[in-house]
């Protein structure tokens, strides 16, 4: 991504800041002296965040083998990387504050993609399991930014997507960049791992040279998000013919068969029904 392009996005969009507590946790995790105690003191400053993390830590979603009654124990049992992802995931909900119908729809789709990415990673890319949910949840955050910049104009693009069109072609024509590019710049601004930036920036570009040049782990993570995106659209809409842009390459990258994908759709729908309440207000 060129600096000129980054400047273009920065000049066209007001990129949101990562929520304060999440920023403090990320900063603490960069300190080699960080401990479960120092991290728990930060999380405990936000009771809503604390409650949600404990609820998720005790759910089947993360499969914790023992009851977690304190944030200190959650950090010890789950590990620093999982804590980081849980903080990012739970903090992301606050970005959808206005709760218009468009924002609610974007949130529901993003949550479905996060859960789908997690389920797919367990079977197809275990090396990406720690980050799959969070990257899936954040994959369309660029759409939220563009919508909040111009609710009326961007609603027309979202309406077109609901009728089967793509978002990125009209975005490119109108703005000169897409929601995927905005999301990638945001990951960079938030100092999140490069794999997040790559997967979010390229999740609609599996037919391009940039995707082909990726190393195996970020390449699989990008493919996971693409495949999860398609499956989530099918699960939410109930339409087995939802757009499949990039899906064949995603399946090839992950070594997935059509029969497996059909099974994953059922599994993801069940998991979404059971676990989505964990991430709601």
């Amino acid at each position: 991504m060129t600096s000129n392009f980054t400047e273009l996005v920065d000049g066209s969009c007001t990129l949101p800041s990562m929520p304060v507590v999440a920023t403090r946790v990320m900063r603490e995790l960069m300190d080699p002296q960080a401990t479960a105690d120092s991290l728990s003191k930060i999380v405990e400053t936000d009771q809503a965040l604390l409650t949600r993390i404990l609820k998720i830590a005790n759910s089947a979603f993360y499969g914790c083998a023992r009851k977690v009654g304190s944030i200190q124990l959650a950090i010890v049992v789950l590990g620093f990387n999982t804590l980081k992802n849980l903080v990012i995931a739970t903090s992301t909900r606050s970005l959808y504050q206005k709760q218009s119908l468009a924002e609610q729809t974007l949130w529901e789709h993003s949550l479905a993609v996060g859960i789908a990415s997690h389920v797919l990673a367990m079977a197809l890319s275990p090396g990406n399991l720690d980050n799959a949910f969070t990257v899936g949840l954040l994959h369309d955050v660029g759409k939220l930014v563009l919508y909040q910049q111009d609710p009326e104009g961007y609603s027309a693009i979202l309406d077109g997507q609901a009728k089967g069109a793509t978002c990125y072609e009209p975005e490119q024509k109108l703005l000169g960049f897409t929601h995927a590019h905005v999301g990638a710049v945001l990951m960079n601004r938030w100092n999140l791992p490069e794999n997040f930036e790559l997967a979010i920036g390229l999740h609609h570009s599996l037919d391009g040279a940039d995707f082909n040049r990726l190393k195996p782990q970020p390449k699989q993570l990008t493919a996971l998000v693409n495949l999860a995106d398609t499956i989530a659209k099918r699960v939410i809409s109930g339409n087995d013919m939802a757009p499949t842009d990039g899906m064949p390459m995603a399946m090839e990258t992950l070594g997935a068969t059509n029969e497996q994908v059909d099974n994953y759709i059922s599994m993801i729908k069940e998991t979404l029904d059971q676990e989505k309440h964990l991430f709601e207000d």
Side-chain angles (χ1 to χ4, degrees), residues 91-103:
S91 297
T92 296
R93 188 68 177 95
S94 68
L95 298 177
Y96 296 77
Q97 290 177 13
K98 296 179 182 177
Q99 284 299 288
S100 67
L101 178 60
E103 287 174 308

Side-chain angles (χ1 to χ4, degrees), residues 3 14 33 42 56 65 73 94 99 102 107 111 144 147-148 153 158 163 207-208 219 231 245 253:
S3 59
T14 302
Q33 302 301 317
I42 297 172
I56 296 169
L73 182 57
S94 68
Q99 284 299 288
W107 168 255
L111 180 57
L144 177 66
Y147 172 79
Q148 292 181 346
L158 293 175
K163 297 173 184 176
D207 58 348
K219 191 172 189 177
I231 290 176
D245 175 64
T253 301

